Amino acid sequence: MVEVRTGGTEVVHDLSGDCARFLEEVGADEGLLHVWVPHATAGLAVLETGAGSDDDLLAVLRELLPADDRWRHRHGSPGHGRDHVLPAICPPYATVPVIGGRMTLGTWQSVCLVDLNGDNPVRRVRLSFLSG
């Protein structure tokens, strides 16, 4: 399990290094890496990071899921209901093929945690590997 401290701000956090270390630790060769975020208010995305796409994703999510009083789910900070809708857009799981012990991501792709919820600053990410 990987623990990520997201703080109190919206974040796209690159998990690729954690995933690579996990694959090395388990001696992965060929199979599937499964990444799971067991939280009702966080998700995963496979996208380019560092060139603005991560910021673009957050901007689009702010447009789609504004932090205002429209949400029926109302506990927590204002607009918290949107955080519970996020996993329908950025699902809490991702599966990545592994060949030769390495994720077969595209040149610029990363596996990322997406978290809009400032009320929960610590996230846990479960990694598993299915050989085959």
Side-chain angles (χ1 to χ4, degrees):
M1 177 158 8
V2 175
E3 187 173 279
V4 178
R5 296 194 178 278
T6 58
T9 61
E10 300 170 341
V11 66
V12 174
H13 177 84
D14 191 341
L15 296 166
S16 300
D18 297 302
C19 293
R21 278 187 291 283
F22 170 77
L23 292 172
E24 188 175 319
E25 288 170 8
V26 299
D29 184 30
E30 295 198 9
L32 298 172
L33 170 67
H34 188 72
V35 186
W36 170 249
V37 181
H39 296 280
T41 59
L44 295 166
V46 176
L47 77 159
E48 178 181 10
T49 59
S53 296
D54 36 356
D55 292 329
D56 290 340
L57 175 59
L58 290 175
V60 166
L61 291 172
R62 281 185 210 110
E63 286 181 34
L64 289 172
L65 305 171
D68 59 23
D69 65 355
R70 75 184 66 202
W71 308 101
R72 292 182 183 149
H73 187 106
R74 292 187 186 261
H75 75 67
S77 61
H80 177 64
R82 75 176 183 147
D83 302 331
H84 288 275
V85 176
L86 173 71
I89 297 169
C90 294
Y93 56 85
T95 302
V96 180
V98 174
I99 297 175
R102 299 180 63 139
M103 294 180 287
T104 58
L105 295 169
T107 301
W108 305 113
Q109 289 180 315
S110 297
V111 178
C112 297
L113 171 70
V114 181
D115 189 0
L116 304 179
N117 182 3
D119 293 343
N120 189 352
V122 178
R123 299 302 186 157
R124 289 177 180 81
V125 180
R126 295 182 93 50
L127 304 173
S128 58
F129 179 71
L130 177 62
S131 185

